[in-house]
Amino acid sequence: MAPPRNRAQDDHQRRGKGPPGKGHTGRGRPDGRALLTDPLSNKGVAFTQEERERHGLVGMLPPAVLSLELQARRAWEQLQAQPDDLAKNVYLEQLHDRNEVLYFRLLCDHLTELLPIVYDPTVGEAVKRYSHDYRRPRGVYLSIDRPQDIRPAFEALGLGPDDVDLLVATDAEQLLGIGDWGVGGMQLAVGKLAVYTAAAGIHPGRAIPVMLDVGTGNQALLNDPLYVGNRHNRVRGEAYDSFVAAFVEAVGELFPQALLHWEDFGPGNGRRILQQYGEKICTFNDDMQGTGAITLACVMNAARVTGTPMRDQRIVILGAGTAGVGIADQLRDAMVRDGLDREEATHRIWCVDRQGLLRQSTEGLRDYQQSYARPDDEWPDDRPADLAGVVERVHPTVLVGTSTQHGAFTQDVVRSMARHVDRPVVLPLSNPTEKIEAMPEDVLRWTGGKALVATGIPVPPVELDGTTYVIGQANNALIYPGLGLGAVVARAERITDGMLQAAAEAAASLADLSEPGAALLPEVRNLRTSSAVVATAVARRAAEEGIARARLDDVIQQIQDAMWQPEYG
């Protein structure tokens, strides 16, 4: 069953607080203060006179009654007055804590401008400041020191088995491009859920951010007297695995229909956890699967422009971590769907990391990298195996960057690629800007405008020789909100490779490739529309694969009905 569109009373009842206005003081009068302090029910000066009388709010608010539209206009003015992006993030979180409907109305009205504020890149600064700017708790904090608290922590929410659609969980080991920031990772989980709601209408009362606090290796945090997380080094090994297993078991039993989203786990854990639970529950790792799907959408559209089918692509990936290998997996699977066998497809992908080309003799190979390690006898000892050497020898059609090495795609590397390929596809996906492998303006200039470029950061159009090149942003937000919504509406048993493929194809289909210089991906400002299209494709694929537990009679309408709107009940 799809969640209700927007009812404040339902939200209260889900959280075990009873309907609005049912709290009473010792004198038998409705306690309006409870409404004003609950962000799910607070309407501020939008409470009508009749509501103020009914809920005991008389005298607690100024006399004027303002509409949600006017409240949103004032909030936008207040936001614009903030001195910098971090201050804007703080303002938005304070609004989030005060009035959720108004917060999401503002976010939906200005999604293009605010997406970088509530999420990447500004959320990275908010994560670093989390303990010093701490204001109020949001979500569920689980400590590895007290695994016995996992179930009671969720039970305290007062939510039943049909009341939760989505959980975003992080252990914050590898946050964005900033590393390990311990309990501050909760801010990122909150931001991720905000995008789910603003972009895809996931009901905010049916979603839970979760911080799995297993400690931190960040010594600055461990020695900060204001740090609010566990004050010990990261726990690993059997104790870590048991803690995660207990968490998954509790979620599966308490919220059996919910999607569990893993976010920003380190490479040693993220892929392993997904492989362990991916076939057992409905779960998803955005760093691996979301990044892979949006990159696949880029490459599919580039293949349409160049006329080179997927099976004929030669792909070099710089940065063989969780994201890079996740991209490799989905590009390999796409080549298999286009006619190659798995071994042939794998052989058309070259992964380069800090130590150079991954080869079977490379020291320190992780288990997930091994399938992409090249045979030692394939590469002559007298040939350099760095990025430049690989590009010169392989003649790739696609160059992907997830290395966080600023400037790694040099002029020599890009021109070497362009000498052998008419329309090289160059995707410097690392973010933020100080970590990007190359700026699109340089890539286009070095290739005389022939390169097809998309980035992981928002970049303005590039003017070159009379042509305007619109640079598509390979933003995971084009994938994961719609993927999540589709899985929720279908009540999918799990997230399959077919559902990820459907999400990538749907996102790719929304880009208009007809004009010279057209972007390879749709604009982020149309996220609400693109998420609905992606969700429809995902839900249909779940039904086709026989893993949809919901009855899908009219998928398009069911998707629309499920998308929560930021309106007062």
Side-chain angles (χ1 to χ4, degrees):
M1 179 181 295
R5 291 180 67 84
N6 184 20
R7 291 190 178 92
Q9 288 189 350
D10 289 342
D11 291 336
H12 266 263
Q13 289 165 345
R14 281 192 197 94
R15 300 209 172 206
K17 298 178 181 178
K22 291 297 184 180
H24 287 77
T25 66
R27 297 180 182 178
R29 296 188 58 199
D31 185 2
R33 288 170 296 183
L35 284 182
L36 296 178
T37 57
D38 184 345
L40 277 167
S41 296
N42 182 24
K43 296 161 65 171
V45 294
F47 280 112
T48 66
Q49 187 60 42
E50 187 274 333
E51 287 174 327
R52 299 181 190 199
E53 293 172 359
R54 173 155 42 97
H55 298 313
L57 292 167
V58 174
M60 294 187 182
L61 295 164
V65 176
L66 299 187
S67 67
L68 176 60
E69 290 73 18
L70 287 174
Q71 287 180 302
R73 189 173 81 181
R74 179 175 58 198
W76 179 247
E77 291 178 359
Q78 293 172 345
L79 180 69
Q80 293 300 96
Q82 303 304 311
D84 54 44
D85 286 349
L86 182 58
K88 290 178 181 179
N89 177 279
V90 171
Y91 171 85
L92 286 169
E93 282 308 299
Q94 290 172 333
L95 181 60
H96 195 183
D97 290 339
R98 188 171 70 249
N99 184 329
E100 287 215 26
V101 172
L102 178 55
Y103 167 79
F104 283 113
R105 175 58 182 268
L106 187 65
L107 200 53
C108 288
D109 286 350
H110 304 278
L111 191 54
T112 303
E113 301 95 328
L114 296 186
L115 192 60
I117 304 297
V118 300
Y119 199 63
D120 188 29
T122 308
V123 74
E125 293 304 311
V127 165
K128 293 178 183 179
R129 295 285 310 168
Y130 185 77
S131 290
H132 285 254
D133 291 343
Y134 181 81
R135 292 172 294 277
R136 59 168 287 176
R138 177 176 285 275
V140 173
Y141 300 79
L142 303 176
S143 170
I144 197 169
D145 301 334
R146 295 187 59 83
Q148 69 272 21
D149 290 346
I150 293 175
R151 185 178 293 269
F154 285 117
E155 290 174 341
L157 298 175
L159 299 171
D162 297 325
D163 293 340
V164 177
D165 292 326
L166 173 66
L167 301 96
V168 172
T170 183
D171 75 351
E173 183 174 6
Q174 194 170 9
L175 292 173
L176 305 172
I178 63 174
D180 179 354
W181 283 86
V183 77
M186 176 57 89
Q187 191 66 44
L188 189 135
V190 169
K192 202 81 173 186
L193 282 178
V195 180
Y196 265 113
T197 297
I202 296 292
H203 197 295
R206 300 177 62 89
I208 306 172
V210 181
M211 178 66 220
L212 301 176
D213 190 346
V214 299
T216 176
N218 187 327
Q219 290 190 317
L221 294 180
L222 294 177
N223 291 284
D224 183 350
L226 295 182
Y227 181 59
V228 295
N230 280 329
R231 203 174 294 274
H232 58 67
N233 196 13
R234 279 190 171 269
V235 175
R236 302 186 185 279
E238 184 178 346
Y240 177 93
D241 291 343
S242 297
F243 179 59
V244 172
F247 163 65
V248 172
E249 181 181 4
V251 169
E253 292 179 0
L254 294 172
F255 314 120
Q257 300 190 82
L259 166 63
L260 176 54
H261 173 133
W262 305 99
E263 185 69 23
D264 286 332
F265 284 70
N269 291 318
R271 190 180 185 90
R272 182 172 56 84
I273 289 172
L274 185 65
Q275 290 176 335
Q276 183 173 356
Y277 298 108
E279 294 297 318
K280 300 175 183 177
I281 61 174
C282 187
T283 192
F284 167 73
N285 184 310
D286 186 45
D287 304 301
M288 292 167 49
Q289 295 167 299
T291 302
I294 194 60
T295 306
L296 173 58
C298 272
V299 176
M300 286 193 305
N301 275 346
R304 293 186 179 105
V305 173
T306 64
T308 303
M310 286 299 301
R311 62 182 176 274
D312 291 337
Q313 302 292 340
R314 297 183 303 277
I315 299 164
V316 170
I317 298 175
L318 178 66
T322 301
V325 176
I327 290 169
D329 287 346
Q330 294 206 38
L331 295 178
R332 176 202 61 204
D333 292 347
M335 288 190 279
V336 170
R337 290 191 293 271
D338 200 32
L340 299 182
D341 64 34
R342 187 181 178 91
E343 183 178 353
E344 290 174 322
T346 303
H347 198 68
R348 299 187 73 84
I349 298 175
W350 290 260
C351 291
V352 181
D353 214 44
R354 294 183 184 277
Q355 64 271 54
L357 178 69
L358 295 189
R359 290 182 280 185
Q360 290 173 348
S361 62
T362 300
E363 292 185 6
L365 277 181
R366 296 185 179 273
D367 55 354
Y368 60 84
Q369 296 173 324
Q370 290 175 355
S371 62
Y372 294 101
R374 315 294 296 196
D376 289 323
D377 59 5
E378 177 186 289
W379 202 268
D381 291 337
D382 61 344
R383 297 290 296 272
D386 58 1
L387 177 64
V390 171
V391 168
E392 181 61 31
R393 186 160 190 249
V394 167
H395 303 167
T397 57
V398 179
L399 179 60
V400 179
T402 58
S403 67
T404 68
Q405 298 177 37
H406 181 73
F409 293 174
T410 64
Q411 177 175 328
D412 288 345
V413 165
V414 173
R415 285 187 169 173
S416 172
M417 185 181 179
R419 280 198 298 271
H420 305 285
V421 180
D422 289 337
R423 301 297 306 274
V425 181
V426 182
L427 308 176
L429 302 182
S430 293
N431 60 76
T433 303
E434 58 266 22
K435 295 182 182 294
I436 192 171
E437 288 81 7
M439 292 303 294
E441 182 178 3
D442 293 329
V443 173
L444 288 166
R445 182 165 45 82
W446 295 335
T447 61
K450 292 183 178 181
L452 298 168
V453 188
T455 61
I457 61 172
V459 175
V462 175
E463 300 286 341
L464 183 67
D465 297 332
T467 299
T468 299
Y469 296 87
V470 181
I471 310 302
Q473 184 185 2
N475 191 324
N476 291 16
L478 289 165
I479 294 289
Y480 71 81
L483 176 69
L485 178 62
V488 165
V489 171
R491 293 302 184 201
E493 295 176 0
R494 60 187 184 276
I495 301 295
T496 67
D497 291 341
M499 293 163 70
L500 291 166
Q501 175 196 352
E505 290 174 347
S509 71
L510 294 167
D512 181 359
L513 305 176
S514 60
E515 296 295 325
L520 294 175
L521 290 168
E523 295 185 58
V524 173
R525 66 182 176 89
N526 296 321
L527 269 183
R528 197 87 174 179
T529 298
S530 60
S531 294
V533 173
V534 169
T536 300
V538 168
R540 283 176 171 159
R541 184 61 58 87
E544 292 168 2
E545 295 182 350
I547 59 167
R549 291 173 288 192
R551 181 173 175 174
L552 300 174
D553 298 319
D554 186 347
V555 178
I556 292 177
Q557 190 59 51
Q558 286 172 272
I559 293 294
Q560 294 301 314
D561 289 344
M563 295 180 74
W564 179 83
Q565 303 294 335
E567 300 167 353
Y568 290 135

